């Protein structure tokens, strides 16, 4: 059987992306679960892979797509049977193992999470790795003891996938959210999601002093570089910061001052290889704490044929919220 997929190849060091017809026999042999995918999504990492702007892809050719949701067709894994609804996030899929911007995927059963009853496969991909990472960040802040009454929580990259879900969840939980974005025209949108205040990212994106006026009880950062440095410099004594992205840069040109003088904590958030128990906790909390109307407000849908252009636009900062890809549409 043939199926449609977003295939990445490399020629003379340049990444080429196309929608191609592939045969099921070409799927990776090391997977033990065959999934008929309903939806995938476009994350920032997908955009980097599609454009070749970062060495995300480690094996060629590669089917893109780090996220997928659909129905099990065949399984030799003891946990899964035909008809089960499943979600896949990370584990190197779309990087070293063929991914989910496709109508079929052969995956390892140990990578799969049961689709929560609260979500359709479309809603699960409206969340995707970006939203699941946002929830991992919220869980880290909770483990650090940050409570809604402790003060403002800064969310950087607010109009992106991680930021928009983080705002929606934190707002529902009662936190006072300050949203930082380069798209100040999106202020009404971000406030409708749950932000109490919207600030221009320019306030954080340039080099700043290692210690600045204390303001935030906590930070959810998906930007990195100077933005993360300035955010740390403004965290109140004993506060917590989560770092999960590099939209501004991979560098961290910081001082140890906020850590040793204010006792703040920086938590790294890894969504790719997170333990299964933490994944299941994150999805269970998303089912409880992400309001369906707020998820709908940040979601747009495209077909597989539009995914290549969407990958380019997300890297250029031209998209807001979450993009669901109907791989059969």
């Amino acid at each position: 059987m043939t199926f449609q997929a977003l295939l990445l190849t490399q020629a003379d060091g340049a990444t080429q992306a196309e929608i191609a017809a592939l045969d099921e026999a070409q799927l990776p042999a090391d997977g033990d679960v065959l999934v008929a995918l309903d939806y995938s999504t476009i994350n920032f990492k997908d955009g980097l892979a599609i454009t070749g702007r970062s060495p995300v892809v480690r094996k060629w050719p590669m089917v893109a797509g780090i996220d997928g949701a659909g129905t099990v067709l065949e399984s030799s894994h003891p946990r899964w049977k035909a008809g089960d609804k499943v979600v896949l996030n990370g584990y190197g899929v779309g990087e070293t193992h063929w991914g989910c911007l496709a109508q079929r995927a052969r995956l390892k059963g140990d990578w799969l999470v049961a689709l929560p009853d609260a979500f359709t496969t479309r809603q699960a991909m409206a969340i995707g790795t970006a939203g699941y990472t946002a929830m991992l960040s919220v869980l880290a802040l909770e483990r650090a003891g940050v409570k809604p009454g402790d003060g403002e929580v800064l969310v950087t990259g607010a109009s992106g996938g991680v930021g928009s879900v983080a705002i929606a969840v934190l707002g529902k939980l009662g936190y006072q959210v300050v949203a930082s974005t380069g798209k100040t025209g999106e202020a009404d949108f971000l406030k409708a999601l749950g932000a109490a205040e919207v600030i221009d990212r320019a306030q954080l994106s340039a080099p700043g002093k290692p210690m600045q006026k204390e303001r935030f009880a906590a930070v959810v950062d998906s930007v990195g570089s100077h933005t993360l440095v300035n955010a740390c410099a403004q965290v109140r004594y004993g506060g917590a910061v989560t770092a999960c992205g590099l939209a501004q840069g991979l560098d961290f040109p910081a001082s140890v001052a906020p850590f040793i003088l204010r006792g703040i904590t920086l938590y790294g958030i890894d969504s790719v290889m997170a333990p299964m128990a933490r994944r299941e906790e994150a999805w269970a909390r998303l089912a409880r704490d992400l309001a369906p109307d707020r998820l709908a407000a940040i979601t747009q849908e495209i077909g597989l044929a539009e995914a290549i252009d969407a990958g380019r636009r997300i890297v250029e900062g031209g998209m807001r919220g979450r993009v669901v890809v109907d791989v059969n549409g």
Side-chain angles (χ1 to χ4, degrees):
M1 172 179 177
T2 61
F3 63 95
Q4 297 292 305
L6 199 169
L7 184 68
L8 304 178
T9 56
Q10 194 172 56
D12 299 324
T15 299
Q16 306 294 323
E18 63 174 329
I19 306 301
L22 303 176
D23 193 283
E24 278 190 11
Q26 296 175 263
L27 289 168
D30 59 344
D32 50 13
V33 180
L34 178 65
V35 179
L37 295 161
D38 297 329
Y39 295 95
S40 184
T41 182
I42 300 292
N43 297 288
F44 192 75
K45 183 181 282 187
D46 294 308
L48 293 175
I50 289 167
T51 60
R53 295 195 186 183
S54 183
V56 169
V57 177
R58 307 292 180 170
K59 292 183 180 180
W60 304 93
M62 177 58 59
V63 173
I66 67 173
D67 288 332
T71 305
V72 173
L73 292 176
E74 302 171 4
S75 173
S76 60
H77 190 282
R79 189 178 177 191
W80 308 108
K81 64 183 185 305
D84 287 342
K85 298 288 186 180
V86 295
V87 179
L88 181 284
N89 305 110
Y91 282 113
V93 171
E95 302 176 59
T96 59
H97 186 100
W98 277 17
C100 297
L101 279 165
Q103 294 171 317
R104 294 285 186 275
R106 193 180 302 279
L107 305 165
K108 293 186 179 182
D110 289 343
W111 297 343
L112 302 174
V113 173
L115 177 73
D117 291 339
F119 298 130
T120 64
T121 51
R122 184 184 186 279
Q123 289 173 318
M125 288 297 94
I127 295 167
T129 283
Y132 146 68
T133 302
M135 182 52 81
L136 290 175
S137 298
V138 173
L139 291 172
L141 295 184
E142 290 180 343
R143 288 194 300 274
V146 179
K147 299 178 179 62
D150 290 345
E152 295 175 316
V153 177
L154 173 68
V155 176
T156 66
S159 61
V162 173
S164 57
V165 176
I167 291 168
V169 170
L170 290 166
K172 185 175 184 292
L173 291 173
Y175 290 87
Q176 186 176 0
V177 179
V178 176
S180 168
T181 180
K183 303 173 184 175
T184 52
E186 301 284 8
D188 289 343
F189 164 73
L190 295 171
K191 288 180 178 179
L193 284 182
E197 182 182 348
V198 178
I199 63 173
D200 193 314
R201 70 181 178 195
Q203 295 183 33
L204 298 166
S205 59
K209 295 179 180 179
M211 294 281 281
Q212 300 172 32
K213 183 178 179 180
E214 295 178 67
R215 177 175 181 181
F216 303 110
V219 178
V220 174
D221 177 69
S222 60
V223 177
S225 193
H226 292 291
T227 296
L228 177 57
V229 173
N230 287 316
C232 289
Q234 295 182 36
V235 172
R236 290 159 51 177
Y237 190 92
V241 180
T242 65
C244 65
L246 44 71
Q248 184 179 7
L250 191 61
D251 60 326
F252 185 50
S255 163
V256 298
F259 302 97
I260 62 175
L261 297 179
R262 289 183 182 160
I264 75 168
T265 303
L266 178 61
Y267 292 90
I269 304 299
D270 167 50
S271 62
V272 177
M273 302 303 293
M276 183 56 67
R278 188 157 293 175
R279 291 169 181 267
E280 292 176 336
E281 180 186 10
W283 277 100
R285 285 291 301 275
L286 284 162
R288 190 188 85 183
D289 295 328
L290 180 58
D293 59 334
R294 293 188 181 182
L295 180 61
I298 64 174
T299 304
Q300 58 180 299
E301 181 177 321
I302 62 175
L304 185 60
E306 302 167 89
I308 296 172
D309 180 62
R312 294 176 180 138
R313 287 191 289 124
I314 197 170
V315 171
E316 293 166 357
M319 303 179 74
R320 82 173 187 186
R322 301 288 299 123
V323 179
V324 171
V325 181
D326 180 354
V327 296
N328 301 295

